[in-house]
Amino acid sequence: MQRWLKENRIKTLYIEPGSPWQNGFVESFHGRFRDECLNREQLWTLTEACVVIEDYRRHYNQYRPHSKLGYQSLASFAPQRVHLPLQSAYGLLTQKMDKPILRA
């Protein structure tokens, strides 16, 4: 695949194995996820893993303070913005976050 891409002068965002510096956001999140979730639990079954990871995802997305929100959680930030016009609210939702947010 890499040879074909090179022959056709196609550049990709390929990240070489063992090169975490090429994707710092993901590596930062993976480290945080490992430290804050996986290393704190002994997961014996797939069901148990799904429950623990879903709890972490909810905490990370809703209750963890985010720097782009003035170090407020999304749950505490969102009610303050209910009065914003649609365009402003859309802009807030589409801004690039410092840290990745898990999706369901």
Side-chain angles (χ1 to χ4, degrees):
M1 179 66 150
Q2 291 297 316
R3 186 181 68 219
W4 180 85
L5 291 170
K6 187 175 182 178
E7 289 170 358
N8 290 285
R9 297 184 186 148
I10 298 171
K11 293 185 179 183
T12 66
L13 297 176
Y14 175 74
I15 298 171
E16 296 178 34
S19 302
W21 54 86
Q22 292 179 346
N23 193 346
F25 290 112
V26 170
E27 289 301 317
S28 174
F29 172 75
H30 284 173
R32 177 172 288 115
F33 180 63
R34 190 173 32 259
D35 291 343
E36 295 177 4
C37 182
L38 299 179
N39 288 347
R40 294 182 181 194
E41 303 284 341
Q42 281 190 319
L43 306 171
W44 297 102
T45 66
L46 181 58
T47 302
E48 184 179 8
C50 288
V51 169
V52 167
I53 291 169
E54 176 62 15
D55 286 346
Y56 179 80
R57 184 191 70 79
R58 284 191 180 149
H59 170 76
Y60 191 91
N61 285 341
Q62 295 175 3
Y63 304 108
R64 180 187 184 90
H66 294 279
S67 61
K68 288 290 186 180
L69 304 178
Y71 293 96
Q72 295 180 67
S73 68
L74 186 58
S76 64
F77 178 80
Q80 300 169 16
R81 303 296 181 217
V82 172
H83 67 279
L84 287 176
L86 182 58
Q87 193 67 14
S88 298
Y90 180 76
L92 286 171
L93 293 173
T94 58
Q95 284 181 2
K96 183 178 175 185
M97 300 295 282
D98 283 343
K99 298 177 178 76
I101 295 177
L102 286 172
R103 296 175 197 264

